Amino acid sequence: QNQTGIFTNLTARTYSVEVEDAHGCTENMNIEITQPDELQINLNATPANCGITGGSINATITGGTPAYDLDWSITQTGNPVTNLEPGNYTLNVTDAKLCTSTASIEIGIAGNINAAINEIQPISCYGETDGVLESVSNNGQTPQTHIWNPSATGPTQYDLSAGTYTVTITDAWGCTGSASATLTEPNEMSIDAIIKDITCNGYNDGKISVSVS
């Protein structure tokens, strides 16, 4: 029994109320207490496109009581959020009744960055090891790592002999790009000599003809 007519801490359901006055007269009523649907967040992510643009996240919010306040784990506001680096992002939503919900999603990567090898200095002579190559990416995010095959690191490689070199560049987003280049050397010089001996003792009619190819 409740003589105040106030009932608290009720869950969503239908309640039957019977009222009885001082004379024993009664009246019945069914009262339904409803609740909003559960506040839910569905996040859809578009990956960051390597070398071109960042990813994006679009949020679909259902349930609760509009209007919704969106609080992202970054400085951007609104929906969707765009040009995002790869990584994890969180959205906190508060509805008009101060109910809250939280969801997280990861932005991945798609595609590759550009990679190229420039010949900075050719090999000067046959058998020398003075070639210089430089690897570059014109659309990768910085900082970048440059891994060469044969084994070496860094964008510029010195004291190289003739051969084929491959580099893989990885940028700050984890995007990669590869390139190969062949460093050539001049042909080996070949010297031929035609000798004409001196005819008689004391003469100076000897001759040497040298040709280089």
Side-chain angles (χ1 to χ4, degrees):
Q1 291 184 350
N2 185 321
Q3 296 183 0
T4 65
I6 300 174
F7 302 87
T8 59
N9 299 323
L10 303 180
T11 59
R13 54 170 288 187
T14 299
Y15 295 86
S16 296
V17 179
E18 182 182 76
V19 179
E20 182 179 353
D21 68 8
H23 299 289
C25 301
T26 60
E27 183 69 35
N28 294 298
M29 176 181 288
N30 290 329
I31 301 174
E32 182 182 10
I33 292 184
T34 63
Q35 65 179 354
D37 292 334
E38 181 182 3
L39 181 60
Q40 294 183 326
I41 307 169
N42 181 43
L43 298 179
N44 182 52
T46 300
N49 199 342
C50 291
I52 300 175
T53 185
S56 64
I57 302 173
N58 183 71
T60 302
I61 303 167
T62 58
T65 304
Y68 306 113
D69 179 62
L70 280 65
D71 181 20
W72 295 92
S73 57
I74 52 176
T75 56
Q76 286 193 48
T77 59
N79 183 37
V81 286
T82 59
N83 200 28
L84 304 176
E85 296 183 4
N88 292 306
Y89 296 85
T90 299
L91 173 62
N92 296 304
V93 174
T94 304
D95 72 1
K97 298 292 181 65
L98 301 183
C99 302
T100 61
S101 184
T102 301
S104 297
I105 198 169
E106 181 179 5
I107 293 284
I109 56 176
N112 300 97
I113 57 174
N114 297 334
I117 298 176
N118 298 325
E119 184 178 291
I120 303 302
Q121 178 175 295
I123 296 174
S124 59
C125 301
Y126 178 83
E128 292 293 329
T129 57
D130 56 359
V132 180
L133 296 177
E134 179 187 55
S135 57
V136 295
S137 175
N138 61 7
N139 64 351
Q141 302 292 322
T142 55
Q144 301 172 355
T145 60
H146 300 241
I147 307 297
W148 292 79
N149 184 23
S151 179
T153 60
T156 306
Q157 300 302 311
Y158 300 91
D159 302 324
L160 301 178
S161 59
T164 298
Y165 296 85
T166 300
V167 68
T168 298
I169 302 174
T170 303
D171 75 359
W173 286 3
C175 301
T176 62
S178 296
S180 294
T182 299
L183 195 59
T184 61
E185 61 185 347
N187 293 328
E188 183 177 12
M189 286 191 298
S190 176
I191 302 175
D192 293 319
I194 300 175
I195 301 172
K196 178 181 178 297
D197 291 327
I198 298 172
T199 56
C200 298
N201 183 271
Y203 282 25
N204 62 351
D205 59 352
K207 183 179 178 181
I208 300 175
S209 298
V210 176
S211 64
V212 180
S213 59

